[in-house]
Amino acid sequence: MNPSTQLRPYPTRRSLLWTAATAALSAPLLTACVTAGAKDEGEAAAGGEKTAGNPMGVRAGAPLEVVVFKGGYGDDYAIAAEREYTRRYPQAKVDHKGLQKVGEAMQPRFVAGNPPDVVDNTGAGRLDIATLVGAGQLTDLAGLLDAPALDQPGVKVRDTLLPGVVDDGTFGGTTVALNFTYTAWGLWFSRSFFAGRGWTFPKTWAEMLTLCAEIKKAGLAPWTYQGKYPEYLNDPLLSLAAKAGGLELIKAVDNLQPNAWRQEPLVQAAGAIAELAGRGYLMAGSEALSHTEAQAAWCRRKAALIPCGSWLESEQKGVTPAGFDMVMGAVPSLTGDDKLALQAASSESFVVPAKAKNPAGGQEYLRILFSKASATAFAKANSTLPAVAGATDGLELSSGLGSVRDAVAAAGAGTFSYRFRTWYAPLAKAVDDATGELANRRISPADWSTRIQKAADAVARDTAVTKYTR
């Protein structure tokens, strides 16, 4: 993320920052988009002949408009895919827009029925994808997923993607988004600093508390976090709960089941975070820090550990000291009997609007973007794991990206992710707010659980909210 923007990175880069701005975008969009019809539907559906070389049926001279979130990854990778598109379709004019406030710019266009052909719906204030789905505003990408991969003969696009990528973009059985990056969430530390102090990254929460005591005794804060955005602290909390409670716990939360947030592993995980605060293991003043400020403090070794997703190394390129050797470790085990291993999911969400003028071109652009060559170039430039399997094979990886790749490989089928944040923006914000209060000792773990359950029940009762299950 460009530090000057002060935006919450990607999902958020997953589906991360669900702010009041997002909620404000959602409500008017739903009603307006349902009735929007400024463009002739036949025009949107028109395409060219489908052939082996043109599996999406792109009209050779049709213009293509691409809108990309220009955050921490920049937009050079997207422009490179546009160059390849132009090489393949030289008669087509490509209109590229790199934006930081995608939702603010795109809402009026979706309402007017005149959206671009491809949108990278990412960043703070992005459009609520569940609302877009409910309004029928996104193209079914099944044809793209079943098309041949650009540079892997005999392989479908869907079979080139890492586990969970297709599911992450699927709503009600229809895949409407493809996420370009693969994010893992954990706790970051300086490998060189830990080695110099003789510290070992903990495997259990009991070991974490012991380590924190040693770090505090050495005169620095054990943890800091991005206090203005408490969802960062939700990652270890929810990971602790999922590792102990397993997939059934996650399903209960995502499916809005009664008392899901009162499950014992969730209350215990909230207690673990509260204990960090109670023992003085969170750096003083963290509550007031933005993500860039907290991460800069961590890079200056004012704190030993920080929770973050795997975009951190790329985001800290300009401020990380030489020899810092940052790496990510999986959140330790709460109970010592883990059912799951690592929170990981795809992010950087690309969609093709249903009312795009050139939907075939939009899907062909994504076929190019999600090629192995494109993903490998992205990994080299951004120290970030792409969603395309094998994209980092043979590369000499940085310390951070190498640790993420190793963590994902070690987790195997034990990766997990929650979906409530993507499906229900108001609930996501309620969780974030409650965790912020918990970390600052203004509510207890039991209050945290009760407060969030009340918000989940309100969403479950709201007949205007489309419900999803897993």
Side-chain angles (χ1 to χ4, degrees):
M1 172 86 45
N2 183 341
S4 68
T5 66
Q6 297 293 303
L7 298 179
R8 177 66 165 95
Y10 328 128
T12 345
R13 285 288 193 187
R14 50 168 184 185
S15 37
L16 284 180
L17 182 58
W18 295 100
T19 60
T22 306
L25 285 170
S26 303
L29 180 66
L30 178 59
T31 54
C33 281
V34 170
T35 58
K39 186 169 61 60
D40 179 75
E41 298 295 334
E43 179 187 353
E49 180 184 359
K50 294 184 179 181
T51 65
N54 182 11
M56 305 315 305
V58 177
R59 287 180 289 152
L64 179 75
E65 185 181 3
V66 181
V67 171
V68 176
F69 172 63
K70 192 172 182 179
Y73 302 141
D75 59 354
D76 287 347
Y77 73 99
I79 293 171
E82 291 163 12
R83 285 196 295 266
E84 176 61 20
Y85 185 94
T86 302
R87 189 189 70 78
R88 298 172 67 86
Y89 304 96
Q91 300 175 50
K93 179 182 178 182
V94 177
D95 178 3
H96 172 89
K97 293 181 177 67
L99 307 175
Q100 290 184 348
K101 297 182 179 180
V102 174
E104 182 178 302
M106 291 299 103
Q107 182 195 3
R109 296 193 56 183
F110 272 93
V111 170
N114 184 36
D117 302 306
V118 181
V119 178
D120 172 11
N121 184 41
T122 305
R126 65 192 172 277
L127 296 168
D128 180 3
I129 193 167
T131 299
L132 292 173
V133 172
Q137 289 294 301
L138 301 179
T139 296
D140 183 348
L141 300 179
L144 167 62
L145 290 170
D146 290 328
L150 190 76
D151 53 3
Q152 299 187 57
V155 180
K156 294 180 180 179
V157 170
R158 70 168 70 246
D159 295 327
T160 68
L161 305 174
L162 287 171
V165 174
V166 173
D167 288 343
D168 288 340
T170 299
F171 292 74
T174 302
T175 304
V176 296
L178 273 187
N179 298 343
F180 187 61
T181 62
Y182 198 76
T183 301
W185 288 269
L187 299 175
W188 289 78
F189 61 100
S190 165
R191 185 162 51 194
S192 60
F193 187 50
F194 267 48
R197 295 293 186 116
W199 295 334
T200 301
F201 186 79
K203 294 182 179 179
T204 68
W205 196 252
E207 291 175 358
M208 169 62 76
L209 294 176
T210 298
L211 173 62
C212 286
E214 292 180 21
I215 294 171
K216 187 175 181 181
K217 187 176 180 180
L220 72 155
W223 284 49
T224 187
Y225 73 103
Q226 305 82 339
K228 287 185 177 179
Y229 310 115
E231 62 268 28
Y232 281 88
L233 203 54
N234 274 331
D235 296 331
L237 192 164
L238 294 176
S239 290
L240 285 167
K243 286 160 75 82
L247 187 58
E248 292 308 308
L249 178 144
I250 296 172
K251 285 183 177 180
V253 166
D254 287 345
N255 293 345
L256 302 176
Q257 290 181 9
N259 295 315
W261 288 93
R262 293 193 173 97
Q263 294 176 92
E264 188 60 27
L266 277 163
V267 179
Q268 289 177 345
I273 298 301
E275 190 169 15
L276 288 179
R279 294 192 181 194
Y281 293 159
L282 298 179
M283 187 179 79
S286 291
E287 176 185 9
L289 299 180
S290 69
H291 65 286
T292 54
E293 291 166 340
Q295 290 158 198
W298 171 70
C299 280
R300 293 195 296 270
R301 292 179 175 154
K302 292 186 175 182
L305 294 155
I306 190 168
C308 200
S310 51
W311 61 81
L312 180 64
E313 185 178 36
S314 175
E315 190 164 74
Q316 294 301 105
K317 274 183 180 179
V319 297
T320 304
F324 190 81
D325 200 22
M326 72 169 67
V327 291
M328 188 194 80
V331 172
S333 171
L334 182 63
T335 63
D337 183 25
D338 287 349
K339 297 178 175 63
L340 295 168
L342 181 72
Q343 185 175 182
S346 58
S347 53
E348 198 79 15
S349 183
F350 283 81
V351 299
V352 175
K355 294 184 179 180
K357 292 179 181 177
N358 186 9
Q363 292 177 79
E364 175 69 358
Y365 172 79
L366 293 183
R367 194 171 76 100
I368 293 168
L369 182 66
F370 281 76
S371 67
K372 190 172 183 179
S374 168
T376 297
F378 175 85
K380 287 180 181 178
N382 292 285
S383 299
T384 299
L385 195 64
V388 177
T392 60
D393 291 352
L395 297 182
E396 184 176 346
L397 303 181
S398 60
S399 62
L401 181 54
S403 70
V404 171
R405 180 199 59 187
D406 293 346
V408 171
T415 60
F416 62 90
S417 65
Y418 292 82
R419 300 295 301 277
F420 74 89
R421 186 172 294 278
T422 306
W423 290 346
Y424 310 116
L427 176 57
K429 187 176 187 306
V431 176
D432 296 343
D433 291 346
T435 298
E437 295 291 282
L438 177 75
N440 288 284
R441 306 175 67 184
R442 290 191 281 266
I443 60 174
S444 69
D447 293 335
W448 177 90
S449 171
T450 298
R451 180 169 165 172
I452 296 173
Q453 188 59 56
K454 183 178 180 180
D457 291 343
V459 173
R461 290 193 303 268
D462 190 343
T463 58
V465 175
T466 302
K467 307 302 191 300
Y468 300 98
T469 58
R470 59 183 299 174

